Amino acid sequence: MAADRKLLMAFCHKFLSLFTHGLIGLYPWSLLSSGCETALTEVIPNDPVVDAVKVPSSRDLFGHPRGLWVLVLTEGCVAFSLYGMQAILVLYLADYLLQPGHVDHVLGMSALKSFLSAIYAPVGTQATAGAITGLFLALIYATPLLGGIVADRFLGRTRTIFLGAILMTVGHVLMSFDWSFVIAITTLLLGLGAAGGLRAQVGALYTLDDPRRSEAYQIYSLGVQAAVIAAPALCAYLAIKAWHWGFLAASLGMLLGLFVYMLGKHWLPEDGNSKAIAPRPSLTATEKKTTALLLALLPVLALSALPNSEIFDGYLLWGREHYQLTLLGHPFPVSSLVSLDGLVSTICTISVLGFWKLYNRRRPDPAEITKVAIGAFVASCAPLILALASWLYPAPHQVSLLWGIAFHTINDIGFSMSYAIGMALYSRAAPASLNTILVACFTLHLFLANLMIGKLSTLIGHVGDVPFWLIHSGACLLAAFILMGCAFFWRDLLAPQKKVI
């Protein structure tokens, strides 16, 4: 038996190695190695001393520390619970919770509606559902910054993440009850903010010169992507039977993640002692201009992300009314479109960056800002497909899912180019003394995008379907032109800055 086990482990190790290195050959990870790795490991202010963190000694598993697999499983469970819940949230609100007889029993709903009226002024149940969902999705990208401060200054990463996992588990359980909805989403947001340090712990498993660091983040991302594909379909299927079954499935996924993290905690790096951070050198005139430009681009990038950010909100409300929701003769829950998007996104991300790798063999590599602008141009075409479908098939349930596949494919090609390469752009262009904070600020464009989505979703039912999607396309196209202008006039400012050591 021992020999068989060793043979099986050797086979699995070889298979994983071949699979991972096969992806590396297709996917130009070097494009993102500085961008994504910096973004994921430097969000916490104390990350510059990550090489001083004590790493527990243990045998590697499949060529990586055992702690990596603990973090992959934990983050996979977090993604499963979050994306499963997001996939049914707006439909749950519109079709159930905000309906008479249910909304009156929700504790704190009056205060939430008053706040929504101040920022969105939604009219009607469907608009309110879109506004709540948009606000929740926006705050998902803001709370991790606060969680990083708590981890860095007060509790440490491990205890903060453990607290975040507990809060998320409690939040998902509370989603199963009508009365506790507002408490549930508040608890979930606090938990998501606290659990944001999981990504930073991946980097802390390796020394800064360890060549396995980039591969570790690839494995980590693939684990998350698998959960994104599976969770929406499962939770949507259960939600057809009963809404709370879908939320219960999400809570069980998060509960599993909590146990995995708790049981594997001894394989994770210990929190290092905080060291005094050296004074930052003064910015040069060029660095000041670059910093101002990167900050000014955040609302522009938010406009370019509108078609993708709408997928969890108004798109599901539109799809429920217009798509032929059957697949091979079987019912196809509209929330399963989120799973479809996760699958298409994975393929498109690998394919797009693989394309640029092949392109670079024959022609000079375009500047990153140029690639981001091209991505925005491509993404602006995706809502046009839905506008055309709405015009050709105005009656309910007449739009084939093939239109949806076309929309997701074009959108994911554009977004994968804008997001992944945009992250690399911020990491490389940001001045060394502000690199950490500017890379952390990059994801704030998704916060701004989802804030805008909360308002746009209130227009469903008040403007025609064709104008609704043309607004998204026009906003994204405007962003594309601005980004292309930046590529033409300020390309030198967005080139990589010399790093000060």
Side-chain angles (χ1 to χ4, degrees):
M1 290 295 293
D4 292 341
R5 183 190 299 180
K6 290 182 179 179
L7 181 61
L8 178 61
M9 292 288 288
F11 172 78
C12 293
H13 184 195
K14 186 64 175 178
F15 175 80
L16 181 63
S17 178
L18 290 174
F19 175 74
T20 304
H21 286 87
L23 281 178
I24 294 172
L26 175 62
Y27 196 118
W29 297 104
S30 59
L31 174 68
L32 300 179
S33 60
S34 62
C36 290
E37 187 173 323
T38 304
L40 295 176
T41 59
E42 291 188 349
V43 172
I44 308 301
N46 268 356
D47 280 11
V49 300
V50 70
D51 55 336
V53 173
K54 179 182 178 182
V55 181
S57 59
S58 65
R59 292 186 304 166
D60 287 349
L61 181 63
F62 301 128
H64 286 274
R66 294 175 184 266
L68 173 65
W69 307 107
V70 173
L71 294 174
V72 168
L73 289 174
T74 303
E75 183 64 35
C77 292
V78 172
F80 180 93
S81 65
L82 178 61
Y83 284 94
M85 186 272 287
Q86 285 180 205
I88 61 177
L89 178 60
V90 68
L91 301 175
Y92 165 71
L93 289 169
D95 295 347
Y96 178 80
L97 191 67
L98 295 179
Q99 295 296 324
H102 298 284
V103 68
D104 300 331
H105 304 295
V106 180
L107 187 65
M109 181 59 76
S110 298
L112 178 58
K113 283 187 173 182
S114 298
F115 181 72
L116 291 173
S117 296
I119 60 175
Y120 290 139
V123 178
T125 299
Q126 191 164 258
T128 303
I132 292 174
T133 303
L135 180 62
F136 176 77
L137 296 177
L139 292 175
I140 285 175
Y141 297 100
T143 53
L145 296 178
L146 299 177
I149 296 174
V150 172
D152 179 54
R153 303 301 179 191
F154 301 102
L155 298 179
R157 273 195 297 244
T158 301
R159 278 180 286 188
T160 303
I161 292 170
F162 189 66
L163 175 62
I166 293 175
L167 289 174
M168 286 190 66
T169 302
V170 173
H172 281 297
V173 171
L174 290 175
M175 286 292 292
S176 299
F177 306 96
D178 294 357
W179 66 270
S180 56
F181 172 78
V182 176
I183 300 174
I185 60 173
T186 303
T187 306
L188 281 171
L189 287 171
L190 293 175
L192 283 165
L198 279 169
R199 295 173 177 176
Q201 280 199 317
V202 174
L205 290 166
Y206 305 87
T207 60
L208 291 179
D209 57 352
D210 193 326
R212 299 176 298 169
R213 286 171 65 91
S214 295
E215 185 177 283
Y217 278 115
Q218 296 162 29
I219 296 171
Y220 182 85
S221 298
L222 287 173
V224 172
Q225 201 66 33
V228 173
I229 294 171
L234 176 60
C235 291
Y237 174 77
L238 292 174
I240 293 178
K241 309 296 182 182
W243 287 111
H244 298 299
W245 287 15
F247 293 123
L248 180 61
S251 67
L252 292 176
M254 192 59 241
L255 185 62
L256 176 61
L258 175 60
F259 278 116
V260 168
Y261 191 79
M262 181 174 61
L263 295 176
K265 187 172 62 173
H266 59 284
W267 282 321
L268 299 178
E270 298 177 3
D271 294 330
N273 295 325
S274 300
K275 293 184 178 181
I277 300 176
R280 291 174 176 169
S282 300
L283 296 178
T284 65
T286 299
E287 288 176 333
K288 291 179 180 179
K289 293 179 182 179
T290 300
T291 300
L293 180 58
L294 291 176
L295 293 175
L297 282 179
L298 290 177
V300 179
L301 291 172
L303 291 176
S304 71
L306 288 181
N308 189 77
S309 298
E310 190 68 81
I311 288 175
F312 285 99
D313 204 336
Y315 172 67
L316 295 178
L317 296 173
W318 177 89
R320 180 187 57 181
E321 300 297 328
H322 290 82
Y323 279 130
Q324 299 172 2
L325 296 175
T326 57
L327 183 65
L328 301 177
H330 298 282
F332 185 84
V334 67
S335 296
S336 296
L337 290 168
V338 179
S339 289
L340 172 65
D341 184 74
L343 176 61
V344 173
S345 177
T346 302
I347 297 172
C348 289
T349 300
I350 295 174
S351 300
V352 165
L353 295 180
F355 163 80
W356 285 116
K357 183 176 183 180
L358 296 175
Y359 181 91
N360 296 344
R361 293 178 180 176
R362 298 186 179 183
R363 299 183 181 181
D365 187 23
E368 288 165 336
I369 184 63
T370 302
K371 294 179 181 179
V372 173
I374 294 173
F377 275 115
V378 173
S380 69
C381 297
L384 295 180
I385 292 177
L386 301 181
L388 180 60
S390 299
W391 181 64
L392 292 175
Y393 306 101
H397 306 299
Q398 295 297 310
V399 179
S400 169
L401 286 175
L402 293 176
W403 289 86
I405 293 174
F407 163 75
H408 286 283
T409 301
I410 295 176
N411 172 73
D412 287 331
I413 289 174
F415 183 72
S416 63
M417 195 179 301
S418 299
Y419 184 78
I421 300 177
M423 185 180 292
L425 167 66
Y426 269 64
S427 176
R428 295 184 184 184
S433 59
L434 293 178
N435 190 275
T436 296
I437 189 169
L438 287 177
V439 171
C441 285
F442 172 76
T443 56
L444 289 181
H445 81 275
L446 296 178
F447 166 74
L448 296 174
N450 281 287
L451 278 181
M452 289 186 278
I453 288 300
K455 179 58 179 179
L456 288 173
S457 295
T458 65
L459 300 178
I460 293 182
H462 299 281
V463 300
D465 295 323
V466 174
F468 178 77
W469 291 115
L470 289 179
I471 291 173
H472 290 73
S473 179
C476 191
L477 187 62
L478 174 62
F481 278 115
I482 296 175
L483 290 168
M484 191 58 72
C486 292
F488 183 79
F489 291 105
W490 294 299
R491 181 174 178 176
D492 292 340
L493 286 179
L494 297 174
Q497 302 293 322
K498 293 183 179 181
K499 308 298 181 183
V500 179
I501 302 177

